[in-house]
Amino acid sequence: MSVICSLANDGATRYNDIKRKMNGISNTMLAKSLKELEDDGLVKRTEYLEVPVRVEYEITDTVRALIPILTELAVWGSGLNEK
């Protein structure tokens, strides 16, 4: 969820920028998470043929459609903590 939230807030983002925002995540775990999200159609990976090669990740339209629902769940969840 943290990767999806980060990409939803920041738009297309390079790997190292994602890594900086995810405190305490290992390279292996982040790479695995991004690969799984890509395989599930939730994250799009774009490779630019430059020197050096530039790769950016961004959420797909499927995730964009889920953002309002995830926001409502977050609001609902924060309300539970107050009781």
Side-chain angles (χ1 to χ4, degrees), residues 15-16 19 25-32:
Y15 180 89
N16 285 333
K19 175 88 168 87
I25 192 168
S26 68
N27 280 323
T28 304
M29 193 63 200
L30 179 56
K32 181 180 178 208

Side-chain angles (χ1 to χ4, degrees), residues 41-75:
L42 302 175
V43 168
K44 178 183 169 192
R45 179 183 187 273
T46 305
E47 188 173 313
Y48 298 92
L49 299 178
E50 302 171 349
V51 178
V53 174
R54 177 172 52 112
V55 176
E56 291 182 344
Y57 297 89
E58 62 184 313
I59 59 172
T60 61
D61 290 337
T62 302
V63 174
R64 279 188 194 87
L66 291 174
I67 295 296
I69 297 166
L70 295 173
T71 301
E72 286 299 316
L73 284 172
V75 169

Side-chain angles (χ1 to χ4, degrees), residues 9 31 37 61:
N9 289 330
L37 290 168
D61 290 337

